Amino acid sequence: MRKVVWPLLVIFTLVLSITLVVCTTKENNGRDDDGGPNDDVDDDTSDDDTSDDDTTDDDTTDDDTTDDDTTDDDTATDATISGQIKYNGEHAADSEGKNISVMIFASWPPTKDKAPVCGAAFPVPALGFPYNYDFVCHDIVEAQYYPMAYLDLNGDNQFDNTQEPYDYPGPPITIKPGDSIDYDIHLVDIVCSNPATMSGTITYTGQYAGSAPGKHIYIGILDKPIQEGEPPVYFNNVTVPGGGFPFNYSFNNVCLNDSVFYPMAYLDVDQDTQFDFGVEPWDAKTSPMTFTFGNTTDVDLGLVDPTKK
């Protein structure tokens, strides 16, 4: 049995309590502003008395070994991160010139003493969203990493957890030296003034129906058809009423706008907030649905036991 923790359910409140600071220019990309690791080498070489002797003038200094080793070592430890940045939220129209900060973390949730492994900031172009981004993550070691991004509305290079649109990590991605990672970013609003509404009827007649009253059904909206471990861009939950199924639900705080999404839901049988693949009843829409600020989208959810899927 595989358990999947929807990150927004378990770690979202932790993440929002942490101030995140990232590189403010694309060129920074995780390197020191003071000049990087080669400064000490250059200083020692230029000041050393051996610069005038034959050792400096001979092939040792000009030898290809010095240049090739340095270049090859640096290149071998780099990885490229690229993709598309998407956002259709409340601040999209007035975000030109503001930075989208993209960060790669070695662990999640991050802590104040754990800086991103690398990161870069990308100004929103005049044409708006979507647009492409790419940057180099230097001195990477093979491991699993967690990308995170936010729109820096106030320009302070810090994540404001009360208003700034963000994209949080899903399952970790493996990055190793030499990789070119394709990773799309989909920012969503934390709050919005005119949210969409999602409503419908939930049905279920399976083996857990009799014991379901009082338990939670978690409902998420994904930006792509469901994949194992894929986090939602929106989530909420309802409690199964005493009368059981079917019953109606409605959420009027969906801050998603003018994009297609894929709702899904599951009955949390063991009430651990985690989706137990192969055990818990669920439903996932494979046809895209549109949510628009101020409008209602009807989403009926028919939960089915995994053995029937």
Side-chain angles (χ1 to χ4, degrees):
M1 179 178 67
R2 303 185 300 278
K3 289 180 178 285
V4 173
V5 181
W6 278 2
L8 199 56
L9 300 177
V10 178
I11 63 176
F12 183 55
T13 54
L14 295 175
V15 174
L16 294 186
S17 65
I18 299 170
T19 299
L20 302 175
V21 181
V22 71
C23 317
T24 58
T25 63
K26 179 177 176 181
E27 290 74 22
N28 203 2
N29 288 343
R31 287 196 181 274
D32 249 344
D33 288 335
D34 294 335
N38 293 327
D39 285 355
D40 292 338
V41 176
D42 293 338
D43 289 343
D44 290 345
T45 304
S46 60
D47 293 341
D48 198 345
D49 290 337
T50 58
S51 58
D52 294 328
D53 65 22
D54 292 338
T55 304
T56 303
D57 293 332
D58 69 15
D59 289 339
T60 303
T61 301
D62 297 328
D63 193 82
D64 289 339
T65 304
T66 303
D67 293 333
D68 288 346
D69 287 349
T70 302
T71 303
D72 291 343
D73 287 346
D74 285 347
T75 303
T77 60
D78 292 348
T80 301
I81 317 295
S82 63
Q84 191 175 71
I85 299 176
K86 298 180 286 184
Y87 175 56
N88 290 300
E90 195 164 74
H91 303 283
D94 59 356
S95 59
E96 179 184 347
K98 296 176 181 177
N99 282 332
I100 305 289
S101 292
V102 183
M103 298 166 285
I104 307 296
F105 288 93
S107 61
W108 196 263
T111 57
K112 290 183 178 180
D113 60 339
K114 297 283 186 177
V117 173
C118 57
F122 303 90
V124 178
L127 293 178
F129 300 92
Y131 67 98
N132 296 328
Y133 80 96
D134 70 89
F135 68 99
V136 174
C137 197
H138 296 289
D139 302 324
I140 199 78
V141 297
E142 182 173 357
Q144 291 188 319
Y145 295 93
Y146 301 82
M148 186 268 184
Y150 70 95
L151 172 58
D152 190 11
L153 291 175
N154 57 13
D156 66 351
N157 305 318
Q158 299 180 5
F159 179 39
D160 183 342
N161 59 28
T162 65
Q163 66 170 337
E164 292 182 331
Y166 68 100
D167 182 9
Y168 49 85
I173 60 174
T174 298
I175 305 176
K176 61 182 182 294
D179 273 354
S180 293
I181 301 297
D182 185 15
Y183 187 86
D184 290 341
I185 293 167
H186 194 163
L187 302 175
V188 295
D189 289 329
I190 294 175
V191 295
C192 55
S193 59
N194 189 28
T197 296
M198 173 181 175
S199 63
T201 302
I202 300 177
T203 59
Y204 174 58
T205 59
Q207 61 179 317
Y208 300 107
S211 60
K215 294 184 177 180
H216 291 102
I217 293 176
Y218 287 100
I219 300 172
I221 301 175
L222 310 176
D223 65 354
K224 63 187 70 172
I226 187 170
Q227 302 176 32
E228 184 176 343
E230 183 69 25
V233 294
Y234 169 88
F235 88 97
N236 215 320
N237 70 85
V238 294
T239 301
V240 179
F245 301 92
F247 67 92
N248 297 327
Y249 77 96
S250 182
F251 304 134
N252 61 1
N253 62 344
V254 182
C255 288
L256 301 175
N257 186 51
D258 290 339
S259 288
V260 294
F261 299 96
Y262 301 82
M264 72 88 62
Y266 70 92
L267 172 62
D268 190 14
V269 173
D270 57 7
Q271 295 296 279
D272 64 351
T273 73
Q274 302 177 24
F275 182 21
D276 298 329
F277 279 102
V279 175
E280 294 179 327
W282 64 294
D283 184 21
K285 304 303 182 184
T286 56
S287 297
M289 309 186 76
T290 301
F291 292 83
T292 303
F293 285 158
N295 291 347
T296 298
T297 298
D298 293 325
V299 182
D300 292 333
L301 297 164
L303 305 182
V304 178
D305 291 334
T307 55
K308 296 181 181 180
K309 285 281 185 181

